[in-house]
Structures are given as C-alpha cells and as structure tokens.
Amino acid sequence: MNSIIRSVSKFRSAVIAIVLSAAVVASAAFIRIHDDKTISSNLPAFSENTIAPLLALDRATEAIAARITPAVVYIRVSGKTAPSRASGQGQMDPSQIPEPFRQFFQFGPGEMQPQPQYFSAQGSGVIVSPDGYIVTNNHVVHGATTVDVILNDKREFDGAKVVGTDANTDLAVVKINATGLPSASFGDSSLLKPGQSVLAIGDPLGMDFSVTRGIVSATGRSRTQADGSNSYGSFIQTDAPINHGNSGGPLVDAQGDVVGINTEMLSTSGASAGIGFAIPSDIVQPIAESLIKNGKVVRGYLGIDVTDLPPGVADSLNESGLQGALVNQVNAGSPAQTAGVKPYDVVISFNGRKVSNGTELQTMSGASAPGSVAKLELMRDGKPVTVSVTMGDYANQNTASSAEDESGEGSSDATPKLGVTVAPSDNGAGVVVQSVAPGSPAQMAGVAQGDVIKQVNRKAVSTPDQLRNQLAISPKGKDILLLVHKSNGDFILPVRPR
C-alpha cells in the first residue's frame, strides 16, 4: 500500500513539475512576445545617409576641438586690495562695528584700521607662441599679485609674468617660461558672417576644459561701459555659451583658427546662457603684438567722438541713405581739430577704406601708427570734403573738448515742445536740463536731467529764450537735432517732436 502511495506521489510531483515547466515556457514566450511588441518601433525608418550630415558635423567639431584644446590654458590668480579707511578722518569708535565684523579690523587707540582683503579668481587663455606668450582678458588678471597657469596636459607654471594689459579692449598678455608649446593661430575675423559655426573653448572654474558650439549671431557689436561710454572697438556676438571661467578663452572658426577672445556673457538669469561677446581677432592680434613688443599698446588718436549715423539724423542733415560715422565732438587741440574736422561731419572713409559706423572708424584709427598721416573723406552739408590728419598718440591724448563761446542770461523756463525744463549754465555755454517729462520727446531721445543742451539744429543756444526761438523755427516734419553734453562727452540726439 505504501508503495502505491509513493508511486502516486511521484506521479503527482512529476505532473506538477511538467505543469510548472510549461507555465515558465509559456510565460517566457509571453514576455518575449510582449517585449518584442514593446521594443519594436513603428516610427519611420531612416537610412545612414539621413544622419550623415549630423555625424559629419560631430566629427568636424571633435577634430577642431582636438586641434585647439592643447593650446588653451587655465589661469588662476590671487591678490589683495589696498586697505581703506572707513571715515574721512580715519577715526571711528570700534563699538560702531558689529561684533562679527570686528575680526577684519585692527584697532589702535580710538582708531579703526582695516586689514587688506585678499581675493582669488580664475579664467582661461590661449597660447599664441611656442615660447609661452598667452592671450587672455584684462579682467582676468587685473589687480593680481600672483598668476599661475595650468596647461591642458596638467603641467603647472607658477608665477607667470603679466607682460602688459589694455583695459580699453579688455586684453592682456601673460608669459610663462617654457618652449615648444602648442600654439594657436589667428584667423581673419573680418570675414566672419552671421550663421557661421564657432566653438567657445575654455576651462570653467578649473573643472577641466570644455567646448561649446554655436554660431556667429552678429558682428560689429558695440558695448556700453559702466560710465556710459562705448567700449573700444566692436565685438562678435555669439550664441555659443561662454561658461563662467571661460573668459579669455578662444572663439574658434571651422578652420580651427582663433577668430576672437571670449570676454563676456550677458544673462538675465546668471546662468551661462544669453548673449555672448568675443573680441575680434583683428583687434586681438595687433594689441597682443604691441603688448609683447612694447609692454603697452601704441594706438593712433584722432580726437573725435563719433557714433553711427541714424536714418533720422541723416535725413535732417540732408544725407538720406548715407552710411558712416557721425562726428559728435571734436576735442580741443586734437589732430582732428587741427585738420579741420567739425561736429556734424560724417566720416565715410579712412585711408581709402569704407567706414560704415563709428566702431569701424575707431578700430581703423586705433590701428594707425602715431605720427602717420591719415586721409579722411567726409560729407559736410551734402558736399564731399577730404582732410589729412597727422595721427596723435592715444596714450598722450588731449581730452579737452571744444565749446561754443556763447553767453547769456535767463531764468528757468519750460519748453513743452521737448518736454524739458532748462536754466542757463554756469559758463554760458548751453542750457542745463533741470527736469525731463516722462514719455516726452526729449526723454525718448535720451535727454536726461543734468545734461547741457548746447545747440539746436546746429545753432548755439545759451538761454531758455534762445532755445525756444530755435525750436519755433525748426522745419516741420523733421527731427530736431540737439547737441547735448553729457558726463562722458557731446552727443547729437535726434528728437522727434509730437
């Protein structure tokens, strides 16, 4: 009986095993079928030829990065700021300093003496000669007492020398004691066109080297400095992200040549996304060569303040359709004044090269050697005028500006046509703007409180009455041209009256 029970038990176990095996096989088949249905795609198929352009772009980017990256360096700087007193007399009661901050000061009897504050910073650079000359931004090394350079191959060079700096272009040259280094070559930034592919390369915050890809968004961009004046020269605008710490690194074209030095990223969020600017190689190369040769920049000087020629101003000057650089101001005793250049002149060529805007003229004149003679073609009152200017030295420029020798008396007066309230200036040269109505034609044109209106339609004014009289006889339907003196120079502002 027991043997029968054991036989039945074995038979039942065998049946169970067979059933379980069949279930496992069926489950596996189901899973395989289910998986096949899951991973199969009903998207349209594409051939290798479809993605070939993208693969080619990737390979080209990799090749360019591999070529230029060995010449890119990481720059680490440190320094200290000079101590400053907290009051005009240098005396302060220590009890006035909150307890957590007293550690930063050394106190004598009744005196507070600030301690020097130390700082550290970092940026990027690019080797431009095998014997160790490196181009970077001025703001990377500004104020540094020590400069260390780390190469792409991880070699470190402590105590690098700052050969020279140029704050006007935000450029600097650093030298390390080495030979046989991989060096980059400059390309021709004047050939750049919007839409061209570029790479921005650098060492963000010392986290090893990075490459970002983008295009040239625009060329010939001007930038306004903190004091309201335009930076020297023009800039390349790019959408290739310039990561924090990439300042001073190269902007590279499809040939692997340096066409710019990355200098700034404008961002409303603080992230590395926004509008990037690079200094064009046509500015970088001569500045770098001058710094290496002379330790400073030798730059030509005309002695004029210029802006682009807006269409409204061109129409008011009877120069419709004209392109060039509008002369706002001629500095007293400058080479331009000696040659006969006048406000309202439009510079259309410099030494035979066409001038399309103010930044082009600035770059051309700066590249001229002091003492050389430059030929300027102007448009004045609708007539061509040619003058020869003996270029001055930018380092020895005379910044005194010319002023009309006018005088007059008058009281504060309102001029609703502009939307300003004015009073005579202390020296009688123009009228001082005391207030500007919100949304008025003057405000829309850029006139601000404290400005001095010197001329209306090229006629000098020194009293509110003279200003009102000139406005009254302004041609109907045309912009009113104001010559306005601001803190950073004279400007011709077109005002469109209501």
Side-chain angles (χ1 to χ4, degrees), residues 1 24 87 90 138 211 274 292 340 354 392 428 472:
M1 184 68 178
V24 170
S87 69
N138 172 65
V211 179
I292 292 171
K354 181 182 177 182

Side-chain angles (χ1 to χ4, degrees), residues 196-232:
Q196 284 186 230
S197 296
V198 287
L199 304 181
I201 305 177
D203 193 334
L205 300 179
M207 298 187 298
D208 213 344
F209 296 84
S210 72
V211 179
T212 55
R213 184 170 66 191
I215 63 171
V216 174
S217 302
T219 59
R221 291 296 200 206
S222 61
R223 289 281 296 112
T224 302
Q225 301 185 105
D227 63 359
S229 61
N230 285 335
S231 297
Y232 179 87

Side-chain angles (χ1 to χ4, degrees), residues 156-475:
E156 294 194 18
F157 293 84
D158 297 337
K161 178 185 177 181
V162 178
V163 175
T165 62
D166 182 44
N168 288 312
T169 55
D170 193 25
L171 289 171
V173 172
V174 173
K175 177 72 166 63
I176 59 176
N177 293 322
T179 57
L181 297 175
S183 60
S185 58
F186 286 108
D188 188 349
S189 59
S190 68
L191 301 178
L192 288 177
K193 303 294 182 184
Q196 284 186 230
S197 296
V198 287
L199 304 181
I201 305 177
D203 193 334
L205 300 179
M207 298 187 298
D208 213 344
F209 296 84
S210 72
V211 179
T212 55
R213 184 170 66 191
I215 63 171
V216 174
S217 302
T219 59
R221 291 296 200 206
S222 61
R223 289 281 296 112
T224 302
Q225 301 185 105
D227 63 359
S229 61
N230 285 335
S231 297
Y232 179 87
S234 60
F235 292 84
I236 302 167
Q237 179 187 330
T238 178
D239 70 346
I242 301 174
N243 298 317
H244 186 61
N246 277 20
S247 291
L251 187 73
V252 184
D253 66 7
Q255 303 297 324
D257 293 328
V258 177
V259 292
I261 295 296
N262 303 318
T263 186
E264 184 179 15
M265 172 68 78
L266 295 184
S267 173
T268 57
S269 64
S272 297
I275 301 175
F277 291 96
I279 308 163
S281 59
D282 285 2
I283 293 177
V284 176
Q285 188 170 6
I287 294 296
E289 292 173 352
S290 182
L291 291 175
I292 292 171
K293 181 179 179 180
N294 306 305
K296 62 180 182 179
V297 177
V298 179
R299 182 180 290 128
Y301 169 68
L302 276 175
I304 57 177
D305 182 79
V306 296
T307 58
D308 298 350
L309 181 61
V313 176
D315 292 341
S316 296
L317 292 175
N318 296 318
E319 305 284 7
S320 299
L322 185 67
Q323 285 189 322
L326 175 65
V327 178
N328 289 304
Q329 174 179 305
V330 181
N331 293 341
S334 66
Q337 187 189 55
T338 302
V341 179
K342 300 178 180 180
Y344 299 99
D345 284 348
V346 180
V347 183
I348 58 175
S349 79
F350 183 91
N351 280 338
R353 296 176 59 190
K354 181 182 177 182
V355 173
S356 299
N357 51 57
T359 54
E360 284 188 358
L361 177 61
Q362 187 183 50
T363 303
M364 292 176 189
S365 61
S368 300
S372 64
V373 177
K375 178 182 176 183
L376 271 64
E377 293 185 18
L378 316 170
M379 290 298 293
R380 179 183 297 164
D381 298 326
K383 299 177 181 178
V385 176
T386 301
V387 298
S388 295
V389 183
T390 300
M391 300 297 296
D393 188 340
Y394 188 86
N396 301 321
Q397 60 179 297
N398 178 4
T399 58
S401 60
S402 59
E404 297 292 338
D405 183 17
E406 298 285 340
S407 62
E409 298 292 331
S411 59
S412 177
D413 195 6
T415 53
K417 196 170 185 179
L418 294 180
V420 299
T421 300
V422 299
S425 64
D426 292 338
N427 61 5
V431 291
V432 180
V433 177
Q434 295 187 318
S435 65
V436 183
S440 64
Q443 186 190 52
M444 299 300 291
V447 179
Q449 183 180 9
D451 290 350
V452 178
I453 301 175
K454 299 171 65 175
Q455 294 181 6
V456 177
N457 290 333
R458 308 176 69 173
K459 300 294 184 182
V461 295
S462 55
T463 67
D465 285 340
Q466 290 180 358
L467 174 64
R468 183 170 49 246
N469 292 338
Q470 289 301 324
L471 293 174
I473 62 175
S474 298

Side-chain angles (χ1 to χ4, degrees), residues 53-117:
L54 287 177
L55 295 175
L57 178 61
D58 288 344
R59 287 192 293 268
T61 302
E62 294 166 5
I64 296 168
R67 173 182 175 179
I68 193 68
T69 299
V72 181
V73 304
Y74 169 59
I75 298 177
R76 181 179 60 220
V77 305
S78 61
K80 64 180 180 180
T81 59
S84 60
R85 298 188 181 276
S87 69
Q89 302 299 322
Q91 303 290 328
M92 179 174 286
D93 184 353
S95 64
Q96 297 178 3
I97 307 299
E99 182 62 36
F101 303 104
R102 294 185 187 179
Q103 59 180 314
F104 298 112
F105 300 90
Q106 297 174 342
F107 296 98
E111 181 180 8
M112 179 189 69
Q113 178 63 46
Q115 297 179 353
Q117 300 298 303

